[in-house]
Amino acid sequence: AELLLHIYLSGAPWRSVGVLFMINSIASYWLVMTSVTTTHHHPDLYHAGDVPRADPDWGLHQVDTVRDVEKPWLPLVLTTFGDHLLHHLFPAVDHSKLPALYPVLHATLQEFNVTYPWRNLADMVHGLNTQIGKCEPT
């Protein structure tokens, strides 16, 4: 339907196909790059085959498997998987409401003496490449 609308409005079928292909390619690339580099792939994170922590708590497993990169602007959060730990802990909560949960998250982490280090994008990209190069689980 989207392609047909483009063709109808532009009157140029091949240009419409090209533009739609370009838009989808750019959006797909952005989604894959940001989800791979800023969410789950870093040597400090738990991956299948690694030795899990002794406590099988579901919330702790979420802490062990994701990292966040600080993103202070909602459109950036929505397009780069910001507030990722909170998203994993509260998947049904609208992303615009997740920042309100940070005080509770920080208090709970402190209460149970759990650290959750924030990373910058450069560290996550480096960690992704290090993780890809690993041959043995940790």
Side-chain angles (χ1 to χ4, degrees), residues 4-81:
L4 294 175
L5 180 61
H6 278 271
I7 292 170
Y8 175 76
L9 293 175
S10 73
W14 290 112
R15 187 178 333 158
S16 295
V17 169
V19 168
L20 192 61
F21 178 76
M22 184 175 56
I23 290 169
N24 283 308
S25 296
I26 291 169
S28 296
Y29 175 81
W30 179 255
L31 178 67
V32 167
M33 286 307 298
T34 58
S35 66
V36 167
T37 59
T38 63
T39 57
H40 299 279
H41 299 288
H42 193 280
D44 294 344
L45 300 178
Y46 174 83
H47 293 84
D50 291 348
V51 176
R53 75 166 71 211
D55 186 343
D57 181 79
W58 177 83
L60 291 175
H61 181 71
Q62 300 309 308
V63 170
D64 291 344
T65 59
V66 300
R67 281 296 173 269
D68 277 291
V69 175
E70 195 164 323
K71 298 167 185 133
W73 187 46
L74 183 60
L76 192 59
V77 168
L78 295 175
T79 59
T80 59
F81 294 97

Side-chain angles (χ1 to χ4, degrees), residues 82-105:
D83 303 320
H84 205 77
L85 176 59
L86 287 172
H87 160 72
H88 274 250
L89 293 171
F90 305 100
V93 174
D94 185 288
H95 264 82
S96 68
K97 307 302 182 205
L98 289 176
L101 297 172
Y102 275 112
V104 175
L105 173 67

